[in-house]
Amino acid sequence: MKVEFPESVKDETLKYAVIAARYKGKWVFVKHRERDTLEIPGGHREAGENIAQTAARELFEETGAVKYSLIQLFPYRVNDNGMLFYAEIEELGELPDSEIERVELLDEPPAELSGWTYPEIQPFLLEKICGILNAETDLKKYFRKGELIPAIVQDAENGEVLMLAYMNEESMRRTLKTGYTWFWSRSRQELWNKGATSGHLQKVVEIYGDCDDDTLLIKVEQIGAACHTGNRTCFFNRLR
């Protein structure tokens, strides 16, 4: 059984929601009444629900969470498609009367696969989430000096400098997630996906941070022109 992470799936094909959650710094696991193993909260999508509603319902039914933040992350596929969520729980209420016997709060996930209800699936889902959470922590170091960071965009093939733009934390996050450049427009005060309108997209090959963690170098495969003037590069006005 292999866990796959497709870039996108059709909403109507999503049959499950799995919610990796933390409460007071601990991972939230649940124990089913008929099993001796632990599992991450989650379950089947019911008729009339969107997948976020499924996640919210399952989180409450299986943990008693009454106050939390819920973030939709990405789809996964085993035999059917599901959606993975992450929750930061602020308040746990009484556990509803259900098939769940109790909630377990763990500093670390079960070390042995035999301790998992779905050992071929859920450990890999949690590993994927931990990678994202670690990346989020690392990402914040680039914005200690301010909300924006300059990003130099370079052609990955020939080293030509194509443009300079600015990123905030959200645009950097979207760039890392989608594999295409996103920036923050200082003039329009909004996020923009480079090439989304013109078709002149920038597919990210590599991203480097400088020694002071306050400038980025992004190497891309440039489709079409990088400059809004139609020039390949924004740096075409020679001064000397």
Side-chain angles (χ1 to χ4, degrees), residues 142 152 154 205-210 215-219:
Y142 294 104
I152 302 165
Q154 183 183 40
V205 176
E206 295 176 304
I207 300 179
Y208 294 87
D210 76 340
T215 304
L216 298 175
L217 173 64
I218 306 176
K219 296 187 177 184

Side-chain angles (χ1 to χ4, degrees), residues 3-64:
V3 181
E4 299 177 335
F5 298 99
E7 289 190 8
S8 63
V9 298
K10 293 182 178 180
D11 176 78
E12 60 269 21
T13 69
L14 293 169
K15 295 186 177 182
Y16 304 96
V18 173
I19 313 98
R22 289 177 69 82
Y23 175 67
K24 294 185 176 180
K26 296 181 181 292
W27 290 106
V28 179
F29 281 80
V30 298
K31 180 190 174 299
H32 195 283
R33 294 184 186 278
E34 299 178 357
R35 296 189 276 267
D36 295 326
T37 49
L38 298 178
E39 55 204 75
I40 301 172
H44 290 81
R45 183 178 184 175
E46 294 184 353
E49 287 183 334
N50 62 45
I51 199 64
Q53 290 170 330
T54 301
R57 175 181 54 76
E58 290 287 349
L59 185 63
F60 170 71
E61 290 179 354
E62 298 201 351
T63 71

Side-chain angles (χ1 to χ4, degrees), residues 1 23 33 55 75 95 106 110 117 131 140 150 160 175 190 193 213 219 223 234:
M1 189 176 296
Y23 175 67
R33 294 184 186 278
L95 186 63
L106 305 178
T117 301
K140 292 183 182 299
E160 183 179 25
T175 298
E190 65 181 14
N193 177 202
D213 295 330
K219 296 187 177 184
I223 300 171
C234 291

Side-chain angles (χ1 to χ4, degrees), residues 94-183:
E94 185 176 347
L95 186 63
D97 185 17
S98 69
E99 72 275 9
I100 300 302
E101 180 180 291
R102 68 177 184 270
V103 173
E104 293 270 357
L105 302 177
L106 305 178
D107 291 321
E108 298 291 339
E112 301 295 330
L113 289 179
S114 58
W116 295 74
T117 301
Y118 306 104
E120 296 179 324
I121 302 173
Q122 290 199 344
F124 298 99
L125 298 182
L126 191 57
E127 181 181 13
K128 187 80 169 179
I129 285 182
C130 287
I132 290 177
L133 295 179
N134 291 336
E136 288 284 317
T137 300
D138 292 342
L139 183 151
K140 292 183 182 299
K141 71 181 181 181
Y142 294 104
F143 300 94
R144 291 171 182 163
K145 298 177 183 179
E147 294 182 357
L148 297 178
I149 185 172
I152 302 165
V153 182
Q154 183 183 40
D155 190 302
E157 184 177 354
N158 59 27
E160 183 179 25
V161 176
L162 299 174
M163 58 182 284
L164 170 68
Y166 289 85
M167 286 185 167
N168 62 5
E169 195 170 329
E170 179 60 25
S171 64
M172 188 173 177
R173 185 178 294 110
R174 293 191 187 194
T175 298
L176 291 169
K177 182 178 180 179
T178 66
Y180 289 87
T181 55
W182 284 76
F183 302 106

